[in-house]
Amino acid sequence: MNKLKFTLGPVYPVVMAGFVLILLITASRLGLALWLSERVSATDGWLTVFASGLRVDIASVCILLLIPAMLLSLFSGEHLAGRVLNYLLRIWITAALWFVAYMESATPTFILEYDLRPNRLFIEYLIYPKEVFSMLWTGYKFELALSLAVSVISLVLGWRFSGYLVSGLRYPKWYWRPLILVAVVLIGALGARSSLGHRPLNPAMVSFSSDPLMNDLVLNSGYSVLFAAKQMSSEASAFSYYPGMPKEEIIAEIKASMVVDKGAFIPGSRPTLANHYASYQGKPKNIVILLLESHGARYVKSLGGIDVSPNLDKLMEEGWGFTRMYASGTRSVRGIEAITTGFSPTPARAVVKLGASQTNFFTIADVLKSNGYHTQFVYGGESHFDNMKSFFLGNGFTDMQDLPRFENPQFVGSWGASDEDLYKEAHQQFSRLSKQEQPFFSLVFSSSNHTPFEYPQGKITPYNQPAATVENAVKYADYALGQFVEQAKQSDYWDSTVFIAVADHDSRASGSLPVPVGHFKIPAIIFGGGIEARQDNRLASQIDLPPTLLSLAGISSQNPMIGNDLTRDIPVGKQRAVMQRGKNFGWMKADNEVVVIRPGQGISTYAYDPQADSLTPANISDADIKRAHANAMWGSLAFKQGYYQALPDYQTTAPEPASLR
């Protein structure tokens, strides 16, 4: 070891620190691979995971330590500047060891929750320390203790280790230093790039499987998080990840896929802007969206799931229930995006969180506001979470009813007031507005079905043990919803309101499929005064719900939404579901043919088996592939070109086409 120290001279601390970091990450990867051995074997990925993983780790270490190595090459020595540099280097190495150790120790818990390594979600949650720490303290005490222990141990050992690394070094003569610097830059830069090609190393280069978690296993968690942070600084676009497609073809395919008379399109710079005519022509009705946190179809017996949602099952019989409704994403903001704007999912964050959509972006709240509606958001937590408050207030919502405005909630958990408190507040709001004869639109967002699954005890018979499980939380959320519906039936506003109970997404979109279709299936039931009971077996997407609700409420408008008005007959060929999982885009037809588009892997086609929840490679027509491709590109194109900007007037004045009468 002393001989190596003598040979490497001033760069010895950096080389040894890098070696230890790679050992630490490799040990973590080995543990994760053994834990996930069935999935690694299923992809025949043992060699790839470790060989490509080593490539990523070397690049990560080079990125992390290149600047310190350059400084040491030029300025190290026994003089004052050299001693200061060594002290700063010790801090850097210690911080690097802590960061790597902490990120790898946090990885198993993150995988259990999201079936992926820590990524941009990890960063986004750090923005809300109050809510997240409360959640962790309540439901993840062991994980918190482990993270604290890892942090203390890594900091103490890292500081001692760094002290050994900088002691007894041999420093070269000044005339050797430029050569050492050149060598360090060449080796470090090549290692960091890990490629002689046009583009440096990125996750797409080491992706090898249709199982997203296996591709993530190749990465290390520090790299995954830092790469996500870099990507967040320049928002993702489909044009950066998917095969190219001319703008004119995208627009033509999207317009052809819409169930809109050709004469309804409005000439101008917004290609999908069209006159949309309500099927209901009576006095405009209120609209209430009951957005159910993480309430996938697998928790609804009538949709093939387990028996923990008896009230939703009852509503499926009493109302207009959709048996083939699919979410557009895997996060709440993606569900909010779909249900309030009808906007297509993209590889970027949902528009709720994008800077350019915080004002002047189309929402049905803006449409309804221009038609004299009171528009509000009712939420048991803090409405600033996930940027909801900013987006809503900038785009048509006028009233935020969140936890600080609730009066004496009976139960408050990590994510806010219980669903019973939420629906109590909503009922009070609706009753007040009804007495004022004020038409209203309200988005009511539940939160009880969210880790760590806190809810008032004694309300339900637990489905399983312990009490804080997702199944029990779902059962409580369903109980609270049932209580509200029974109360609403006796209210003054029932007959004049169109309600929809719909999930934002499933609780977890896990599994080895590139797009786990079964985890996108969600309950959606429209009910209220005048809504006839029916089972609707058509394939539908969340983006179809906003135009449908406007139509049921009697609101005609000019708007850019491409979703189907489900009160109309929808040709089988135009029924589809759009699904976004991370950067992977899925498009499914009514006959269960599926097109998947993935970064760096192009377009794949499958046949989906709902019973087995499996995708089998299959041939699909070029026309369908082209339409799916256009749908994958549309959201990014529309966002960049401003096709989804709000309008000053949403009134429709043109006569309704005969084909829609």
Side-chain angles (χ1 to χ4, degrees):
M1 190 65 69
N2 287 334
K3 184 177 180 180
L4 183 63
K5 202 172 204 180
F6 180 85
T7 303
L8 294 175
V11 297
Y12 173 82
V14 170
V15 172
M16 290 305 299
F19 180 73
V20 170
L21 287 170
I22 290 174
L23 282 180
L24 182 60
I25 297 169
T26 302
S28 173
R29 184 178 289 110
L30 176 61
L32 293 172
L34 292 173
W35 174 40
L36 302 165
S37 59
E38 290 186 4
R39 290 171 71 170
V40 178
S41 297
T43 59
D44 196 24
W46 286 99
L47 179 60
T48 304
V49 162
F50 287 96
S52 296
L54 181 60
R55 178 186 178 186
V56 173
D57 298 344
I58 291 173
S60 302
V61 167
C62 288
I63 293 169
L64 193 62
L65 299 177
L66 178 57
I67 292 177
M70 292 169 60
L71 293 174
L72 286 170
S73 301
L74 290 177
F75 304 115
S76 60
E78 294 293 349
H79 43 72
L80 177 60
R83 290 195 295 272
V84 171
L85 181 59
N86 281 346
Y87 189 84
L88 295 176
L89 177 64
R90 292 187 65 187
I91 295 175
W92 188 274
I93 290 174
T94 302
L97 287 168
W98 166 79
F99 176 70
V100 168
Y102 175 81
M103 291 307 307
E104 293 301 319
S105 69
T107 298
T109 301
F110 198 90
I111 289 176
L112 284 172
E113 183 66 23
Y114 297 106
D115 210 43
L116 294 168
R117 275 191 184 273
N119 53 20
R120 68 181 304 141
L121 299 182
F122 191 91
I123 301 170
E124 290 175 353
Y125 272 133
L126 295 179
I127 301 171
Y128 309 99
K130 176 179 176 292
E131 291 88 345
V132 173
F133 183 79
S134 178
M135 174 188 73
L136 293 174
W137 180 252
T138 303
Y140 298 92
K141 289 186 175 66
F142 172 77
E143 289 81 357
L144 274 178
L146 177 62
S147 296
L148 179 61
V150 167
S151 295
V152 171
I153 292 171
S154 61
L155 289 171
V156 171
L157 294 182
W159 185 252
R160 292 180 178 178
F161 178 59
S162 66
Y164 161 76
L165 293 179
V166 301
S167 64
L169 296 177
R170 181 182 71 90
Y171 300 108
K173 300 293 185 180
W174 64 267
Y175 46 82
W176 288 111
R177 290 180 182 267
L179 294 177
I180 295 173
L181 176 64
V182 170
V184 164
V185 171
L186 286 176
I187 295 172
L190 284 174
R193 281 184 57 84
S194 192
S195 170
L196 294 175
H198 177 65
R199 291 179 178 272
L201 176 73
N202 61 66
M205 285 187 179
V206 292
S207 295
F208 72 99
S209 170
S210 60
D211 183 346
L213 180 56
M214 292 301 99
N215 293 331
D216 263 13
L217 198 58
V218 173
L219 311 178
N220 59 71
S221 294
Y223 178 89
S224 178
V225 166
L226 293 177
F227 185 83
K230 178 178 178 292
Q231 291 298 98
M232 289 171 69
S233 65
S234 61
E235 281 302 337
S237 167
F239 292 88
S240 300
Y241 293 99
Y242 305 151
M245 191 176 195
K247 169 183 171 182
E248 294 74 18
E249 287 187 20
I250 297 172
I251 292 172
E253 284 293 329
I254 293 299
K255 292 179 71 172
S257 70
M258 296 170 62
V259 185
V260 174
D261 188 90
K262 290 183 179 179
F265 286 105
I266 300 168
S269 60
R270 304 178 191 181
T272 61
L273 186 64
N275 288 309
H276 294 266
Y277 303 91
S279 57
Y280 168 69
Q281 294 295 311
K283 180 181 178 181
K285 293 189 175 185
N286 309 313
I287 297 176
V288 171
I289 299 173
L290 306 173
L291 194 60
L292 312 178
E293 168 70 47
S294 305
H295 207 125
R298 59 186 169 138
Y299 302 118
V300 184
K301 184 178 180 181
S302 56
L303 296 176
I306 62 175
D307 188 12
V308 290
S309 305
N311 290 295
L312 278 179
D313 287 326
K314 183 179 178 182
L315 280 176
M316 286 288 290
E317 296 178 357
E318 296 178 349
W320 179 3
F322 296 92
T323 62
R324 298 182 70 195
M325 178 65 67
Y326 286 82
S328 64
T330 61
R331 288 210 64 205
S332 298
V333 284
R334 188 68 78 191
I336 291 170
E337 170 187 71
I339 200 70
T340 63
T341 75
F343 192 69
S344 301
T346 71
R349 290 181 291 178
V351 295
V352 177
K353 298 177 74 68
L354 299 182
S357 52
Q358 296 309 296
T359 58
N360 199 36
F361 195 82
F362 171 82
T363 69
I364 60 171
D366 216 11
V367 174
L368 294 165
K369 177 184 174 184
S370 71
N371 279 269
Y373 280 65
H374 180 84
T375 55
Q376 69 176 185
F377 176 52
V378 185
Y379 178 52
E382 302 277 355
S383 60
H384 65 78
F385 185 78
D386 261 349
N387 209 53
M388 293 184 294
K389 185 175 183 179
S390 173
F391 177 79
F392 289 149
L393 291 178
N395 293 298
F397 287 81
T398 59
D399 181 15
M400 298 287 107
Q401 296 290 331
D402 59 359
L403 180 60
R405 302 185 67 174
F406 281 25
E407 293 185 8
N408 302 318
Q410 296 182 3
F411 181 90
V412 177
S414 299
W415 291 94
S418 71
D419 283 2
E420 285 177 278
D421 291 305
L422 170 74
Y423 292 129
K424 176 184 175 183
E425 178 67 26
H427 173 68
Q428 292 175 349
Q429 292 290 323
F430 303 161
S431 297
R432 175 180 60 82
L433 293 168
S434 179
K435 289 179 180 179
Q436 296 173 357
E437 298 185 356
Q438 169 70 59
F440 58 86
F441 162 62
S442 184
L443 173 63
V444 182
F445 187 19
S446 73
S447 60
S448 288
N449 183 26
H450 195 299
T451 53
F453 307 123
E454 301 166 272
Y455 57 90
Q457 299 301 300
K459 302 288 185 175
I460 61 168
T461 300
Y463 178 82
N464 54 17
Q465 293 295 331
T469 66
V470 62
E471 293 82 7
N472 291 332
V474 167
K475 192 171 183 180
Y476 168 73
D478 177 80
Y479 163 81
L481 174 66
Q483 296 289 104
F484 167 75
V485 171
E486 291 306 312
Q487 188 176 38
K489 286 179 179 178
Q490 309 303 317
S491 71
D492 294 335
Y493 56 82
W494 174 263
D495 289 334
S496 57
T497 304
V498 175
F499 298 86
I500 182 169
V502 58
D504 55 355
H505 57 85
D506 193 8
S507 60
R508 290 190 180 121
S510 58
S512 61
L513 302 181
V515 175
V517 178
H519 285 284
F520 282 82
K521 188 177 180 182
I522 57 171
I525 308 139
I526 297 173
F527 58 97
I531 303 297
E532 296 181 0
R534 59 179 291 202
Q535 292 273 308
D536 195 329
N537 299 320
R538 295 175 294 176
L539 179 65
S541 179
Q542 271 180 329
I543 64 173
D544 298 326
L545 294 176
T548 302
L549 293 173
L550 291 179
S551 187
L552 286 169
I555 302 298
S556 298
S557 69
Q558 294 178 353
N559 70 67
M561 291 189 289
I562 69 170
N564 296 324
D565 175 358
L566 297 173
T567 68
R568 312 284 187 182
D569 291 331
I570 309 299
V572 173
K574 293 190 176 184
Q575 296 174 28
R576 49 79 197 99
V578 293
M579 295 162 276
Q580 189 84 36
R581 184 197 189 189
K583 299 293 188 293
N584 293 359
F585 177 85
W587 185 83
M588 184 166 69
K589 296 169 53 189
D591 59 4
N592 290 324
E593 290 184 339
V594 176
V595 178
V596 174
I597 307 180
R598 289 173 284 175
Q601 300 184 51
I603 300 176
S604 306
T605 56
Y606 304 90
Y608 175 63
D609 182 348
Q611 300 302 317
D613 190 26
S614 63
L615 292 174
T616 304
N619 292 324
I620 295 179
S621 72
D622 290 341
D624 287 331
I625 292 174
K626 184 177 181 181
R627 181 148 296 179
H629 190 184
N631 274 269
M633 310 302 284
W634 168 248
S636 294
L637 176 66
F639 190 84
K640 181 179 180 181
Q641 298 295 326
Y643 294 158
Y644 232 74
Q645 290 180 339
L647 298 173
D649 184 6
Y650 291 96
Q651 297 296 326
T652 296
T653 56
E656 180 176 353
S659 61
L660 295 183
R661 288 174 187 162

